[in-house]
Amino acid sequence: MFPIHSKGIDQEINYRSQPDQRKCRGFNMRVFRWSQAMIFFIEEINRNPTLLPNITLGYQLYDTCGLTALSLRTALSVVSQPMKRSDSGQCFSPSIPIIIGDSGSTLSMAISRLLNLFRIPLVSYFASCACLSDKHQFPYFFRTIPSDVNQASALARLVKHFGWTWVGTVGADDAYGRTGIDLFTTAVTRLGVCVAYRVIIPKLPTHQQLQDIVRTIRESTARVLVVFAIEEDIKPVVDEIVRQNVTGKQWVASEAWVTSTLISTRENYPSLSGTIGFAIRRAEIPGFKHFLESIQPLAEPYNAFAREFWETQFQCSVNTSLPTPSTTDPVHYSHSCTGMERVQDTHSIYNDVSELRVTYNMHKAIYTVAHALHNMLQCQRENGSALTQQCSDIHNLQPWQVVEVLKKVNYTNKFGDVIHFDKNGDPVGSYDIVNWQREADEGPVQYVTVGRFDSSLLTAQQLMLNQDKIIWHGGAYKVPVSVCSDSCPQGYRKVTREGQPVCCYDCVLCAEGSISNTTDQVECILCPEDFWSSQHRNHCVPKQIEFLSYSEPFGMALAAIAILGAIAAMTVAAIFFRHHDTPLVRANNSELSFLLLMSLTLCFICALTFLGQPSRWACPLRRTAFGLTFALCLSCLLSKTLVVLMAFKATLPGNNTARWFRPPQQRLGVFLCSVLQGGVCVAWLTTAPPYPVKNTWLYRDRIILECHLGSVALFCCVLGYIGCLAVFCFILAFLARKLPDNFNEAKFITFSMLIFCAVWITFIPAYVSSPGKFTVAVEIFAILASSYGVLLCIFAPKCYIIIFLPERNSKKYLMSQK
């Protein structure tokens, strides 16, 4: 069964008169070549002395015109008209054990459902719809063309291989087209590809429908479209594409039209150049071209289709009374054929044997049946002439017996291919990948094989491509781009647009601290805790470690101020030591003054410990040095204040308090006050000492190295103790500020404590609100400011008098009253 005529002629059915016999039009030379191939292969088998010895195969050839009604009528005609009679005249029904056909999936489905009633096997050479693999619906269906399941999967992988994520789909309005694009859509969606549109081509499209289809293709941003349709269905669309001069689209063809010379014409090439698709495996069949060109319109046995071919090819009428094909009306030409015409002198689809693909499938179908019969014959020979349950009578075949043998057929043909059916009656999914190319601007279109797909191999080896051989649409050698959105580079993530497919997205820069190191990432990856995103957000880099160091300008300035303070304190000590015998130095308790200057020097040096990278020894040193030096400083100031206050009271009659504030007692008081702070520090260091930590929560992009307090409570005790000493010293100095002594230090101590308390009170909010390393800077500033306040308020006036007003540095001036 062949659709030798590609279209049926519409007929009016008015239900008032009997319809005429259905007529067809459009003689298809390609399909006629397929029918001639069947004859060629059957005659070749009949000449083979080993395949079916002493057995001759016959055939009946039918034209179905690609119409379901005519195909069903043909099938009913075959199964209801017996070819044999027994000796008694009894009819064998059905007498045809097997049917080869039909070309279309829709036709094969209809025929197969009918043949199920008679258990007659149908072997198709061109029906690839995946639905025909359903053995519940089509238990007696076999085919030599791979199922579209393989092709849809292969097309999806081809699309993914070239990076196309935005494609259109076009399919014919039949089982082949609809099932094909549905299978392709399912397979390609799993691979992350989106379908931009789904177009169905009606069997008899109107001009408006064709314009709508072409408008969808032209206006879509998808540059690649995948087409599942036979050549008769896609041709009207291609004609409209060419008429509107639509270019810039990369066509991906199914096996039904990728090697169709009806479509790949010179006129169509500008719009379809670079078409790529999967084609059925081809073969070089020896002697076939000679057979085709040896055809005669009136040869025996008479073939009405050969006569029509002759008249169509040479545009002449054959003078004979023999009938024309029943499916067509005779065509009368202006002149008669002479009989001298030569097919060899013509070039058409009929005698073009460069792309024998469907013809090769026909070879497989005919030879598969022959091998099935051979196996039955071999079974009889091995078991003698007796018929058993295992061996069927080849001369009295029942269709169901052929079905059982077909399921077990397994042979290697002369082209080296292994032929067998799987449990669904399907062959191995094997395709050539072809690309439309043209050597010259006006040369013929060539189908260049650029790869292969074989489903029997391992998944990684199934798709094989020679990409360097591919010439894309417009003669380009670079793979065309077909995406809804450009690929998101490293450092960006995909954000799907609302209401659109997942392939349509915006690229959003990864947030700080996260990266994407591959293209088209859906989510950014967070960097580890000690790392941060690079400027381009494509890799993680170690976070910048930050602390107040000696090498930066701010740290150098603070260190210089601290060293200057320490030098100033030692300079004052040197001045006092140089003039230790003068009344001014002696009157101001030189021992406590030297001890105070030493503690101030240590306070300035203590500030230096806050600079540099925190470590396990630096952190405890900072806090304990700060607590002890300031406790010593304030203890000295407190002793000096008490000495001034008690010295005035000792001048009153009957008061002997001064004996409790002599130098030994003063040293003991300073020692006790300092030891108390030392005890707190020892407890702090032994229970929960300060330790270095990486502060990653303050700044996201950098790490602040700082010292953790360890025990906050003990740190508060240290600060609280220093605060108590300062407040107590301030109160006593304030009470003694108006004592009548020309060298009374109380007012200077009052000012120094006022500065000290002001600095440390403002230190608290500044310390809390300062970020990162500036917290340490605030602490250093408070240490330096309070130390300079004490040094300047207490010792600057004395140094000024010693150096610039030596006349006041006398006992006479000291004893004078104002």
Side-chain angles (χ1 to χ4, degrees):
M1 300 173 67
F2 298 93
I4 295 176
H5 293 87
S6 57
K7 296 291 182 181
I9 298 176
D10 294 335
Q11 59 180 162
E12 182 181 355
I13 300 177
N14 52 26
Y15 299 99
R16 290 191 297 270
S17 60
Q18 182 177 352
D20 296 330
Q21 183 178 353
R22 193 69 184 268
K23 298 294 183 179
C24 306
R25 60 183 172 85
F27 187 82
N28 192 322
M29 292 194 179
R30 184 188 183 202
V31 178
F32 178 64
R33 186 186 67 207
W34 299 347
S35 68
Q36 289 297 100
M38 182 199 73
I39 298 173
F40 175 76
F41 298 140
I42 290 178
E43 292 181 356
E44 192 176 60
I45 291 169
N46 289 335
R47 291 193 302 267
N48 190 326
T50 58
L51 189 57
L52 293 174
N54 301 320
I55 292 179
T56 301
L57 297 181
Y59 59 89
Q60 282 185 310
L61 181 62
Y62 293 90
D63 177 17
T64 63
C65 298
L67 300 174
T68 304
L70 201 52
S71 296
L72 288 172
R73 176 182 172 185
T74 301
L76 280 172
S77 174
V78 168
V79 301
S80 62
Q81 296 181 10
M83 299 292 293
K84 295 181 181 180
R85 291 180 183 270
S86 66
D87 295 337
S88 62
Q90 182 181 2
C91 295
F92 291 95
S93 181
S95 59
I96 298 294
I98 192 165
I99 294 178
I100 305 295
D102 199 337
S103 65
S105 296
T106 302
L107 303 179
S108 296
M109 290 168 66
I111 298 169
S112 186
R113 288 192 175 101
L114 174 64
L115 297 181
N116 287 347
L117 302 173
F118 304 96
R119 298 197 294 178
I120 297 178
L122 177 69
V123 180
S124 177
Y125 52 90
F126 206 36
S128 59
C129 179
C131 50
L132 287 164
S133 297
D134 186 354
K135 289 293 105 177
H136 294 288
Q137 294 190 60
F138 311 104
Y140 307 114
F141 178 81
F142 300 85
R143 56 182 160 192
T144 55
I145 184 172
S147 167
D148 281 339
V149 171
N150 297 303
Q151 183 174 204
S153 174
L155 281 170
R157 290 172 60 181
L158 184 76
V159 166
K160 181 66 175 178
H161 175 81
F162 290 120
W164 300 326
T165 58
W166 188 237
V167 299
T169 57
V170 178
D173 190 13
D174 54 23
Y176 172 74
R178 289 182 177 274
T179 305
I181 59 176
D182 287 345
L183 288 172
F184 169 76
T185 301
T186 302
V188 85
T189 302
R190 291 196 196 102
L191 299 177
V193 180
C194 299
V195 175
Y197 55 85
R198 183 180 189 268
V199 171
I200 299 298
I201 307 171
K203 282 297 181 181
L204 296 172
T206 64
H207 183 65
Q208 183 60 46
Q209 288 174 326
L210 290 174
Q211 286 186 325
D212 292 341
I213 292 171
V214 174
R215 184 185 304 110
T216 300
I217 295 172
R218 184 184 62 246
E219 295 179 356
S220 174
T221 56
R223 292 188 59 193
V224 174
L225 63 155
V226 179
V227 182
F228 273 88
I230 60 175
E231 58 184 3
E232 289 83 3
D233 291 331
I234 192 61
K235 189 177 187 304
V237 176
V238 171
D239 291 343
E240 185 65 20
I241 287 281
V242 174
R243 191 187 70 80
Q244 295 189 23
N245 193 26
V246 177
T247 58
K249 301 295 182 179
Q250 176 62 48
W251 293 70
V252 180
S254 66
E255 95 294 337
W257 68 277
V258 72
T259 56
S260 170
T261 52
L262 183 67
I263 306 299
S264 58
T265 61
R266 296 178 182 179
E267 296 77 16
N268 297 344
Y269 190 78
S271 295
L272 304 182
S273 64
T275 295
I276 192 171
F278 288 87
I280 308 162
R281 296 289 305 282
R282 62 185 291 272
E284 299 285 346
I285 302 175
F288 183 54
K289 184 176 179 65
H290 179 265
F291 175 82
L292 292 175
E293 293 176 343
S294 300
I295 188 173
Q296 291 297 323
L298 301 177
E300 290 292 335
Y302 175 67
N303 185 346
F305 301 115
R307 171 187 171 180
E308 185 178 1
F309 159 75
W310 197 271
E311 292 180 337
T312 303
Q313 179 70 26
F314 297 107
Q315 296 292 295
C316 61
S317 298
V318 176
N319 296 321
T320 180
S321 60
L322 293 173
T324 59
S326 60
T327 54
T328 60
D329 293 325
V331 178
H332 299 286
Y333 295 94
S334 59
H335 65 281
S336 300
C337 299
T338 64
M340 302 299 293
E341 296 86 3
R342 285 166 45 90
V343 177
Q344 295 91 325
D345 298 334
T346 63
H347 181 74
S348 65
I349 300 174
Y350 171 74
N351 60 350
D352 181 6
V353 295
S354 61
E355 294 292 330
L356 298 180
R357 298 182 186 275
V358 180
T359 304
Y360 184 38
N361 278 352
M362 178 61 65
H363 178 280
K364 294 176 184 178
I366 300 299
Y367 269 86
T368 295
V369 174
H371 276 273
L373 298 175
H374 173 80
N375 292 342
M376 296 175 68
L377 187 62
Q378 193 70 19
C379 179
Q380 288 184 5
R381 289 181 176 178
E382 290 176 357
N383 292 274
S385 59
L387 299 179
T388 63
Q389 291 183 347
Q390 291 80 19
C391 300
S392 304
D393 184 3
I394 195 171
H395 298 286
N396 188 20
L397 277 179
Q398 296 301 315
W400 61 268
Q401 294 171 330
V402 180
V403 171
E404 295 304 317
V405 182
L406 277 176
K407 292 179 180 179
K408 302 174 183 178
V409 166
N410 192 329
Y411 71 98
T412 301
N413 64 18
K414 63 182 179 180
F415 304 105
D417 290 332
V418 177
I419 311 300
H420 65 90
F421 298 114
D422 63 12
K423 63 180 180 179
N424 297 320
D426 297 330
V428 173
S430 179
Y431 300 94
D432 289 333
I433 304 174
V434 299
N435 177 223
W436 289 11
Q437 299 180 15
R438 197 162 62 175
E439 290 184 356
D441 292 340
E442 298 299 326
V445 177
Q446 296 180 344
Y447 311 117
V448 179
T449 301
V450 296
R452 184 176 177 181
F453 180 86
D454 192 339
S455 63
S456 64
L457 301 177
L458 297 175
T459 303
Q461 301 172 355
Q462 289 177 353
L463 183 65
M464 294 166 284
L465 273 171
N466 188 349
Q467 197 163 322
D468 295 335
K469 293 176 62 176
I470 301 175
I471 299 179
W472 300 102
H473 181 75
Y477 289 90
K478 185 178 180 182
V479 179
V481 177
S482 183
V483 295
C484 182
S485 301
D486 290 333
S487 179
C488 288
Q490 295 181 8
Y492 290 80
R493 64 182 177 90
K494 297 195 301 186
V495 177
T496 305
R497 297 170 187 165
E498 186 175 357
Q500 296 191 28
V502 294
C503 300
C504 301
Y505 50 81
D506 296 316
C507 296
V508 178
L509 186 67
C510 287
E512 292 184 341
S514 60
I515 64 163
S516 64
N517 51 12
T518 59
T519 57
D520 292 332
Q521 278 194 208
V522 178
E523 295 293 339
C524 297
I525 305 169
L526 287 175
C527 290
E529 186 179 15
D530 291 347
F531 288 80
W532 192 246
S533 55
S534 63
Q535 181 181 357
H536 300 292
R537 314 283 169 82
N538 57 0
H539 66 282
C540 293
V541 295
K543 286 184 179 179
Q544 178 185 355
I545 297 178
E546 196 172 84
F547 56 88
L548 194 59
S549 67
Y550 295 98
S551 57
E552 59 182 293
F554 192 43
M556 293 172 65
L558 291 175
I561 294 171
I563 294 172
L564 184 63
I567 294 174
M570 289 187 289
T571 302
V572 171
I575 294 172
F576 268 52
F577 182 76
R578 173 69 178 79
H579 301 87
H580 68 282
D581 291 332
T582 61
L584 181 61
V585 176
R586 295 178 64 187
N588 282 279
N589 198 333
S590 59
E591 187 175 348
L592 283 178
S593 295
F594 282 115
L595 190 59
L596 178 59
L597 287 170
M598 183 189 73
S599 66
L600 286 173
T601 303
L602 294 176
C603 287
F604 285 117
I605 295 174
C606 165
L608 297 176
T609 63
F610 286 82
L611 296 171
Q613 182 174 344
S615 60
R616 300 195 69 85
W617 61 267
C619 290
L621 178 62
R622 290 179 182 182
R623 303 301 178 188
T624 54
F626 162 73
L628 292 173
T629 55
F630 270 83
L632 177 61
C633 176
L634 291 174
S635 299
C636 293
L637 287 175
L638 183 60
S639 295
K640 288 175 74 68
T641 306
L642 286 172
V643 166
V644 171
L645 188 62
M646 292 302 108
F648 175 75
K649 288 186 177 183
T651 60
L652 297 177
N655 193 323
N656 57 355
T657 308
R659 64 190 179 92
W660 295 103
F661 291 93
R662 293 174 182 171
Q665 286 77 16
Q666 294 173 20
R667 288 192 293 271
L668 181 61
V670 170
F671 176 74
L672 290 176
C673 290
S674 299
V675 166
L676 185 60
Q677 180 74 302
V680 176
C681 289
V682 169
W684 189 6
L685 293 176
T686 53
T687 56
Y691 57 90
V693 293
K694 293 180 179 180
N695 187 336
T696 57
W697 58 89
L698 185 60
Y699 296 106
R700 298 181 61 194
D701 60 338
R702 55 187 184 269
I703 298 173
I704 306 298
L705 286 184
E706 59 186 16
C707 291
H708 191 274
L709 295 175
S711 173
V712 178
L714 290 173
F715 174 68
C716 292
C717 290
V718 170
L719 286 182
Y721 182 72
I722 293 174
C724 290
L725 289 177
V727 171
F728 190 44
C729 186
F730 172 73
I731 293 172
L732 293 179
F734 183 79
L735 294 175
R737 72 189 188 284
K738 293 184 178 180
L739 295 178
D741 188 346
N742 207 30
F743 289 95
N744 179 16
E745 286 188 301
K747 56 184 176 181
F748 299 119
I749 295 174
T750 302
F751 281 121
S752 66
M753 288 299 98
L754 191 62
I755 294 172
F756 186 93
C757 293
V759 167
W760 287 100
I761 290 173
T762 56
F763 160 78
I764 296 172
Y767 182 84
V768 172
S769 60
S770 298
K773 63 183 180 181
F774 296 105
T775 303
V776 180
V778 167
E779 199 165 358
I780 295 174
F781 177 80
I783 293 172
L784 296 178
S786 56
S787 300
Y788 270 107
V790 173
L791 179 65
L792 294 176
C793 288
I794 295 177
F795 294 102
K798 298 179 179 62
C799 291
Y800 180 77
I801 292 173
I802 292 172
I803 298 172
F804 298 105
L805 299 174
E807 66 276 8
R808 291 188 182 184
N809 189 8
S810 62
K811 188 174 182 181
K812 179 180 178 181
Y813 185 80
L814 180 64
M815 300 302 295
S816 64
Q817 299 278 334
K818 290 186 179 181

